[in-house]
């Protein structure tokens, strides 16, 4: 009690955040039981009949495995291109000598983060539409045929990966730039005295210095392999690209809110959450085994 009284004002300051976390993250977990009940709109969760694992019958549906394939395909592409991109950008910005230009590049690169995905989808549609789109206008002027980007199964994944990079790479760079500024400048001075060039300094000082940050971001990024983000993909979905754009998040939305299969949608969401937790635990354990760094 003495320790609690000593830090009473600090506890009071975090109490609102803890309360909100409890109300919006833990209390709703009671709804997980819908995955094991025959729940229908208009009835109570508590009065709905238990059906065991009947709602997990989606494993037998061919469409479910198509959705899983699409999810993994997009998430792996986003991870391959999206994870190293902010690290490379941070390294390049750090080497800019002109402070004004450095601030300008930082501001321009992270500004798209504040756009909602609806705005980004509208921008893409404006640029890529067949009728009056800037990209297709350029293609036509070069003597080539227009491309139906928004309905193409071949271009959907590049659009998702490219727009994700454009929107988030600058924002994620902030973490690495902050980690770089924490590196002792005397290490670089000593490296210069020893004759080390820029690449050698990056390889032997900068990268090891930001490795703890890279490790934490990597661990936190692993759950995105399961949830690729409905807010980005859903505005770009249509009947023409459905075969490659339907992912787990949109599958849950269609099954639950649009078709009324609340038990099955909850079951898919529960399974996704469990898999994401397992991936985080696994990645953390592997990270601590390899380089001694982890979230805990």
């Amino acid at each position: 009690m003495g320790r609690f009284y000593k830090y009473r004002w600090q506890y009071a300051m975090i109490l609102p955040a803890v309360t909100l976390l409890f109300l919006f993250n833990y209390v709703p977990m009671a709804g997980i039981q819908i995955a094991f009940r025959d729940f229908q709109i208009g009835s109570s969760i508590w009065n709905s009949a238990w059906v065991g694992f009947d709602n997990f019958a989606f494993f037998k549906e061919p469409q479910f495995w198509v959705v899983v394939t699409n999810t993994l395909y997009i998430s792996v592409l986003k991870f391959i291109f999206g994870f190293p991109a902010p690290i490379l950008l941070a390294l390049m910005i750090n080497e800019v000598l002109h402070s004004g230009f450095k601030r300008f590049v930082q501001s321009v690169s992270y500004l798209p983060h504040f756009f909602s995905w609806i705005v980004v989808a509208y921008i893409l549609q404006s640029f890529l539409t067949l009728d009056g789109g800037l990209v297709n206008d350029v293609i036509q002027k070069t003597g080539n045929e227009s491309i139906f980007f928004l309905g193409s199964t071949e271009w959907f994944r590049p659009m998702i990966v490219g727009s994700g990079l454009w929107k988030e790479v600058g924002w994620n760079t902030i973490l690495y730039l902050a980690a770089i500024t924490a590196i002792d400048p005397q290490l670089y001075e000593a490296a210069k005295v020893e004759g080390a060039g820029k690449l050698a300094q990056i390889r032997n000082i900068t990268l090891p210095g930001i490795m703890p940050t890279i490790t934490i971001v990597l661990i936190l990024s692993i759950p995105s392999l399961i949830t690729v983000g409905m807010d980005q993909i859903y505005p770009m979905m249509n009947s023409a690209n459905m075969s490659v754009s339907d992912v787990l998040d949109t599958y849950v939305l269609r099954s639950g809110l649009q078709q009324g299969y609340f038990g099955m949608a909850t079951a898919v969401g529960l399974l996704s959450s469990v898999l994401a937790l397992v991936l985080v635990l696994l990645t953390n354990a592997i990270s601590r085994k390899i380089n001694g760094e982890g979230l805990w």
Side-chain angles (χ1 to χ4, degrees):
M1 286 297 296
R3 181 179 177 85
F4 178 82
Y5 181 79
K6 179 181 179 181
Y7 296 103
R8 61 189 182 281
W9 297 117
Q10 288 86 340
Y11 288 126
M13 290 175 64
I14 67 172
L15 181 61
V18 173
T19 303
L20 290 175
L21 182 68
F22 177 76
L23 290 176
F24 292 100
N25 290 77
Y26 286 91
V27 173
M29 288 179 68
I32 291 176
Q33 61 184 300
I34 295 177
F36 308 97
R37 290 179 179 266
D38 182 19
F39 174 75
Q40 301 294 331
I41 285 294
S43 63
S44 170
I45 297 177
W46 310 101
N47 296 330
S48 300
W50 285 95
V51 294
F53 290 94
D54 290 354
N55 289 324
F56 290 82
F58 54 80
F59 283 111
K60 301 177 183 178
E61 297 183 9
Q63 179 60 27
F64 173 75
W65 295 108
V66 172
V67 168
V68 171
T69 302
N70 292 338
T71 303
L72 293 177
Y73 202 124
I74 294 175
S75 62
V76 169
L77 285 176
K78 291 177 68 174
F79 183 80
I80 290 174
F81 292 99
F83 182 74
I87 301 175
L88 295 175
L89 181 60
L91 294 175
M92 289 188 291
I93 291 177
N94 185 59
E95 297 301 324
V96 176
L97 298 179
H98 194 282
S99 59
F101 182 69
K102 180 185 290 187
R103 289 194 297 269
F104 172 77
V105 172
Q106 285 183 259
S107 301
V108 171
S109 63
Y110 72 69
L111 183 62
H113 169 78
F114 299 99
F115 297 162
S116 71
W117 280 114
I118 298 298
V119 174
V120 175
Y122 178 78
I123 293 173
L124 285 174
Q125 291 171 4
S126 299
F127 274 86
L128 302 177
T129 183
L130 281 173
D131 185 17
L134 177 62
V135 175
N136 275 313
D137 285 347
V138 173
I139 292 175
Q140 290 175 1
K141 290 179 180 179
T142 57
N144 298 304
E145 294 185 2
S146 300
I147 301 174
F148 185 26
F149 290 101
L150 302 177
S152 171
T153 56
E154 297 177 354
W155 285 99
F156 180 79
R157 288 161 179 159
M159 283 193 302
I160 293 299
V161 175
S163 61
L165 278 175
W166 174 75
K167 186 176 185 297
E168 300 297 343
V169 66
W171 182 257
N172 295 332
T173 298
I174 296 175
L175 294 174
Y176 300 111
L177 286 173
I180 290 174
T181 58
I183 299 175
D184 189 354
Q186 294 182 0
L187 295 176
Y188 293 101
E189 296 297 332
K192 291 178 182 178
V193 172
E194 294 295 330
K198 286 295 183 182
L199 291 178
Q201 293 176 32
I202 291 173
R203 184 173 61 253
N204 297 303
I205 299 176
T206 308
L207 286 177
I210 64 174
M211 189 55 65
T213 303
I214 294 176
T215 300
I216 292 173
V217 173
L218 173 64
I219 295 172
L220 295 177
S221 300
I222 290 300
S224 64
L225 295 176
I226 303 298
T227 56
V228 295
M230 183 190 68
D231 49 353
Q232 178 188 9
I233 292 178
Y234 190 73
M236 302 299 297
M237 285 182 62
N238 54 58
S239 57
N241 60 30
M242 181 70 74
S243 60
V244 297
S245 62
D246 196 14
V247 294
L248 280 172
D249 293 330
T250 57
Y251 183 74
V252 170
L253 175 67
R254 289 189 296 102
S255 300
L257 295 181
Q258 296 179 1
Q259 299 176 4
Y261 300 125
F262 299 102
M264 187 184 72
T266 306
V268 175
L270 175 60
L271 179 63
S272 300
S273 300
V274 171
L275 289 177
L277 175 62
V278 171
L279 287 174
V280 169
L281 295 175
L282 211 66
T283 307
N284 188 75
I286 294 173
S287 175
R288 293 191 64 85
K289 186 77 172 178
I290 294 176
N291 56 26
E293 297 288 345
L295 283 176
W296 61 89

